Amino acid sequence: MILSRILDKAGASSAVRSVLHRAGLTMILQVCAAGLSYGSQVFLARWLGVHEFGVYIFAWSLAQPIAVAVGIGLSQACGALRSTVP
């Protein structure tokens, strides 16, 4: 409501309104994802117990850098493959 009035007074185009609408939607989805992630961590911590949750977090911590490294290599491999295909 307030943003609508501000945009009306500023004379914002429909493209600007569309971008702001999508940016707001993206922010709401990111906040929901963060809340879901936090809630799942709390649930797992209570359900698994101290030792099992520690093992889970240790494995997760090892998997994160590996996932980044795989992602970097995958993008380079796809670029190389794309350049060789006619």
Side-chain angles (χ1 to χ4, degrees), residues 52-77:
E52 290 84 6
F53 186 68
V55 170
Y56 167 75
I57 290 299
F58 180 74
W60 186 256
S61 298
L62 288 178
Q64 291 302 311
I66 293 170
V68 170
V70 167
I72 292 170
L74 185 61
S75 65
Q76 289 178 349

Side-chain angles (χ1 to χ4, degrees):
M1 285 281 229
I2 296 172
L3 184 59
S4 239
R5 290 182 200 157
I6 293 171
L7 291 174
D8 286 340
K9 288 182 182 179
S13 67
S14 63
V16 171
R17 289 176 185 272
S18 175
V19 167
L20 288 176
H21 175 72
R22 290 185 177 140
L25 182 61
T26 301
M27 188 179 97
I28 289 170
L29 290 174
Q30 286 181 342
V31 168
C32 290
L36 193 61
S37 176
Y38 178 75
S40 68
Q41 292 294 317
V42 170
F43 171 75
L44 282 174
R46 293 186 177 270
W47 185 53
L48 291 175
V50 175
H51 179 72
E52 290 84 6
F53 186 68
V55 170
Y56 167 75
I57 290 299
F58 180 74
W60 186 256
S61 298
L62 288 178
Q64 291 302 311
I66 293 170
V68 170
V70 167
I72 292 170
L74 185 61
S75 65
Q76 289 178 349
C78 288
L81 180 64
R82 196 176 316 141
S83 65
T84 60
V85 174

